[in-house]
Amino acid sequence: MTAVLAPRRPASGRPATRARGAGAVLAFGVPLALIGAVCLAAPLLPLPDPAAQSLSAALRPPAWLSGGDAAHLLGTDHLGRDVLARILYGGRLTFLIAVAGMLAGAVPGTLLGLVSGFYRGTVDAVVSRFVEAQLALPFILLAIAVIAGRGRSLSALVLVLALFGWAQYARVIRAETLSLRERPFVLGLRCAGVPAPRILLAHMLPNVAGTVLVLVTLQIGTVILAESALSFLGLGVVSPQISWGAMLADGRDQLTHAWWVAAFPGLAITTVVLLVNLLGDAMRSWLDPKKRRY
Amino acid sequence: MTRERRILDVDDLTVVHQAGGRWGNRRGDTVAAVDGVSLTVDAGEIIGVVGESGSGKTSLAMAVAGLGRISGGTVTVSGVQVSGRLSRAERTRVQVILQDPHGSLDPRQTVRRGLRELRRIHPERTGWTTDEELLAKVGLNADLLDRLPHQVSGGQAQRVAIARALLLRPALLLADEPTSALDVSVQAQILRLLLGLRRSEDLAILFISHDLAVVRAVCDRVHVMLRGRVVEHGPTAEVFERPAHEYTRRLLAAIPGRRPLDPADPAGRPVQVTTASVPGGEP
Ligand SMILES: Nc1ncnc2c1ncn2[C@@H]1O[C@H](COP(=O)(O)OP(=O)(O)OP(=O)(O)O)[C@@H](O)[C@H]1O
Ligand SMILES: [Mg+2]
């Protein structure tokens, strides 16, 4: 009968499931990291200058097609610039904009979501109305308004992406904070005299961090697409800066006779966005089993 | 009882909840969850509040803890009236133990970090003991300090919650269904721990439960609540042997099985434990 008193085994997560989840995260995270690393290392690679024009070498097809040139593996654009080099160099700016735009939306969005879910009342009412307004506003209209006001620049682009992204974070994190604040441990903390700002930053924030991480990976794909759309519409990066969206826009006019100019940056966007979304899904199911305990 | 021994004095307390939300249009709808309740708890006493679901027990508890609405009447803890403007030290005079043991702890915080946080906020109240001594008081091994809540059992989590409450040296421990989520043998251990602490720490405990067997085993006096009102109160034995109110009789009739109950075996089930194996189980 003393067995009744033996300390119970600490409840464990489901190791098998957790391990499989981690495997999926790696399966999508590693290729993504590799693509990022190759783009970052572009200046160190034996590549032609991405800005070097050569009208005599304009619109060369990829190396494996007839008329292709081994010096231009993925062909050249209408000004004779190397498509592969431009994709790798353009990836740097694309990633930079994606990360900056994502952070610029995630940080204020998360904080506003935390504050409005935790304090509720007037703050919440105001934030929630802004979230609804933002989610109802067409993205392109928002972009045109900002760029008309501030001119085309990287900072304007990041601002547009931030304005575009923050509401998603605020909405999801607010909902999560609302349910979190009703959990008994928050009552316990308040009862123990833990100041509200400390509960918010030291207890709510770590508990929503997993959700933020998942949102970030799901959002970053959207941000890359948004940047591409803006650049495609001529609202994004300005030449000589290169991004994948801008390359797509450049290739638009040659689509019928030189498909590779637009197809390869398009493929790069698709691949990266797909990997990022799969990574987001993998992270969600990786983090979930533990959450389901509560 | 001298006046200094009076820890809690609830006088004609009313708690009214707004039924509609903040932006709801049915602004007039209200629920009187607590409707003119008076009760007292003295040092070293365990006072029970029983009643079915929705009778207002938690609303009463939250008001007493200074965490809930007080619509009318007064709550006085150690001579200080509970209101919205309590100092941090005054607030900690009442500590709560809640039903969901795992939910009572921050899932991302180890036991040690949680205690360190409390020590940093209340350096003047918490210096009286070390983490190891504190855990020993509630019958836990010090190797639990570096665990996260999901790495301890329900009973252990509830002991950690009790330890966190004790660290702040409260005058009143407010236990809202502290054992309802635990299985019977663990339930008995936690009850025995509370009984022991009441003596060793001279704690006053307001014990809220819908489980009459548990209330009967630990409480000195009991209040029976029905729809926000106390319909009957008195010494536990008296209320249980000669229930005056029809509602109390029905509650008593609903206790499954006629188990003999004695304080040494609070859950009334044959769990063989020696008091020595339950730290805090003896005075
Ligand atoms: N925040 C709230 N807003 C509106 N109504 C509430 C709120 N909290 C409680 N109530 C209502 O007040 C009444 C009493 O609720 P309370 O939670 O105090 O009961 P209880 O005795 O603790 O029940 P249980 O045994 O189920 O925990 C119920 O009718 C409930 O619906
Ligand atoms: Mg309740």
Side-chain angles (χ1 to χ4, degrees), chain B:
Chain B
M1 285 286 151
T2 60
R3 279 201 69 74
E4 295 82 64
R5 303 280 293 166
R6 171 80 15 114
I7 300 295
L8 174 69
D9 192 343
V10 176
D11 185 30
D12 199 22
L13 176 69
T14 303
V15 176
V16 178
H17 290 300
Q18 211 88 38
R22 186 181 176 80
W23 301 84
N25 27 19
R26 300 180 308 152
R27 295 222 70 157
D29 281 15
T30 55
V31 187
V34 178
D35 191 3
V37 167
S38 298
L39 57 83
T40 61
V41 185
D42 293 330
E45 268 192 321
I46 302 185
I47 301 302
V49 176
V50 292
E52 63 192 1
S53 183
S55 55
K57 304 183 297 291
T58 297
S59 303
L60 168 68
M62 290 301 114
V64 168
L67 298 172
R69 196 192 304 267
I70 297 179
S71 312
T74 57
V75 174
T76 311
V77 178
S78 299
V80 180
Q81 191 173 329
V82 172
S83 66
R85 290 160 300 281
L86 281 183
S87 75
R88 195 162 293 160
E90 283 165 344
R91 201 175 277 278
T92 59
R93 303 194 60 82
V94 181
Q95 288 299 305
V96 290
I97 311 291
L98 302 163
Q99 174 168 358
D100 173 5
H102 279 116
S104 302
L105 303 172
D106 181 341
R108 304 265 160 185
Q109 200 177 39
T110 61
V111 176
R112 190 192 298 280
R113 273 185 42 222
L115 293 174
R116 194 186 302 145
E117 177 181 32
L118 295 182
R119 288 181 189 280
R120 209 174 299 137
I121 293 169
H122 302 284
E124 74 293 350
R125 298 183 74 87
T126 52
W128 61 279
T129 184
T130 64
D131 289 353
E132 287 74 15
E133 276 170 19
L134 183 66
L135 285 205
K137 236 182 221 309
V138 296
L140 288 177
N141 209 313
D143 64 8
L144 239 77
L145 278 170
D146 293 304
R147 301 246 189 106
L148 286 168
H150 76 271
Q151 295 167 323
V152 305
S153 72
Q156 289 169 333
Q158 199 61 297
R159 286 172 192 265
V160 171
I162 294 172
R164 288 173 57 91
L166 287 182
L167 179 63
L168 300 176
R169 307 239 84 170
L172 178 74
L173 198 60
L174 210 162
D176 188 0
E177 313 252 5
T179 60
S180 304
L182 303 173
D183 63 50
V184 181
S185 62
V186 183
Q187 209 173 45
Q189 295 171 26
I190 296 290
L191 293 176
R192 217 164 287 137
L193 173 62
L194 289 176
L195 281 170
L197 289 172
R198 170 262 284 273
R199 293 217 190 79
S200 63
E201 313 295 307
D202 201 26
L203 262 182
I205 301 178
L206 185 63
F207 191 97
I208 295 174
S209 182
H210 60 249
D211 188 337
L212 287 142
V214 163
V215 165
R216 182 174 192 176
V218 298
C219 296
D220 304 313
R221 287 184 289 125
V222 61
H223 297 71
V224 181
M225 269 183 92
L226 171 64
R227 275 181 253 115
R229 293 172 177 277
V230 171
V231 294
E232 178 163 7
H233 67 96
T236 308
E238 215 165 278
V239 171
F240 275 64
E241 270 144 41
R242 290 179 296 280
H245 197 274
E246 171 59 27
Y247 175 65
T248 315
R249 275 196 286 274
R250 269 195 289 126
L251 278 182
L252 284 170
I255 299 183
R258 283 275 188 82
R259 306 189 297 248
L261 286 155
D262 70 289
D265 186 10
R269 285 175 173 82
V271 183
Q272 289 171 13
V273 275
T274 59
T275 34
S277 64
V278 183
E282 46 199 344

Side-chain angles (χ1 to χ4, degrees), chain A residues 111-203:
Chain A
L111 289 178
L112 283 173
L114 275 173
V115 167
S116 73
F118 187 69
Y119 289 103
R120 299 189 295 188
T122 318
V123 191
D124 182 29
V126 172
V127 171
S128 295
R129 290 304 92 78
F130 271 103
V131 167
E132 280 155 26
Q134 145 62 23
L135 293 177
L137 201 65
F139 169 57
I140 298 298
L141 189 65
L142 182 80
I144 292 173
V146 171
I147 285 161
R150 303 209 26 181
R152 279 171 70 175
S153 67
L154 277 187
S155 66
L157 189 56
V158 170
L159 180 65
V160 169
L161 294 173
L163 288 174
F164 165 65
W166 75 274
Q168 286 295 344
Y169 295 92
R171 199 169 57 108
V172 175
I173 298 307
R174 169 185 176 271
E176 184 135 337
T177 310
L178 271 179
S179 83
L180 206 57
R181 81 190 294 284
E182 299 305 327
R183 292 254 289 274
F185 79 86
V186 179
L187 275 182
L189 290 168
R190 284 169 59 202
C191 197
V194 180
R198 187 173 165 89
I199 296 183
L200 193 67
L201 293 175
H203 297 276

Side-chain angles (χ1 to χ4, degrees), chain A:
Chain A
M1 266 300 178
T2 41
V4 177
L5 280 178
R8 286 203 268 159
R9 294 293 313 143
S12 56
R14 284 171 294 164
T17 321
R18 299 290 315 266
R20 216 175 306 141
V25 169
L26 285 180
F28 303 122
V30 168
L32 203 56
L34 277 178
I35 295 175
V38 170
C39 289
L40 271 183
L44 308 174
L45 300 176
L47 287 169
D49 180 350
Q53 306 186 5
S54 157
L55 288 179
S56 59
L59 297 179
R60 285 271 165 77
W64 61 90
L65 295 180
S66 68
D69 178 352
H72 301 293
L73 204 56
L74 297 183
T76 59
D77 68 3
H78 63 295
L79 295 176
R81 298 174 296 195
D82 184 63
V83 170
L84 178 61
R86 289 179 69 74
I87 286 181
L88 295 188
Y89 277 86
R92 294 154 62 97
L93 193 59
T94 303
F95 280 123
L96 176 75
I97 292 171
V99 170
M102 178 274 292
L103 283 178
V107 173
T110 301
L111 289 178
L112 283 173
L114 275 173
V115 167
S116 73
F118 187 69
Y119 289 103
R120 299 189 295 188
T122 318
V123 191
D124 182 29
V126 172
V127 171
S128 295
R129 290 304 92 78
F130 271 103
V131 167
E132 280 155 26
Q134 145 62 23
L135 293 177
L137 201 65
F139 169 57
I140 298 298
L141 189 65
L142 182 80
I144 292 173
V146 171
I147 285 161
R150 303 209 26 181
R152 279 171 70 175
S153 67
L154 277 187
S155 66
L157 189 56
V158 170
L159 180 65
V160 169
L161 294 173
L163 288 174
F164 165 65
W166 75 274
Q168 286 295 344
Y169 295 92
R171 199 169 57 108
V172 175
I173 298 307
R174 169 185 176 271
E176 184 135 337
T177 310
L178 271 179
S179 83
L180 206 57
R181 81 190 294 284
E182 299 305 327
R183 292 254 289 274
F185 79 86
V186 179
L187 275 182
L189 290 168
R190 284 169 59 202
C191 197
V194 180
R198 187 173 165 89
I199 296 183
L200 193 67
L201 293 175
H203 297 276
M204 299 284 126
L205 185 56
N207 276 289
V208 300
T211 306
V212 174
L213 201 63
V214 170
L215 270 183
V216 159
T217 46
L218 290 176
Q219 256 325 76
I220 206 162
T222 316
V223 169
I224 292 175
L225 287 179
E227 185 277 327
S228 302
L230 289 179
S231 294
F232 186 79
L233 292 174
L235 295 170
V237 304
V238 194
S239 183
Q241 288 172 331
I242 319 165
S243 81
W244 292 344
M247 291 179 68
L248 205 57
D250 279 349
R252 161 175 60 179
D253 300 331
Q254 283 86 42
L255 225 100
T256 49
H257 55 282
W259 54 267
W260 55 89
V261 182
F264 289 115
L267 190 66
I269 294 171
T270 311
T271 310
V272 166
V273 171
L274 193 65
L275 278 176
V276 164
N277 284 346
L278 289 171
L279 178 66
D281 273 341
M283 293 207 2
R284 190 161 44 185
S285 54
W286 179 47
L287 293 170
D288 238 9
K290 192 150 112 213
K291 266 199 194 149
R292 234 177 260 137
R293 268 193 67 86
Y294 302 101

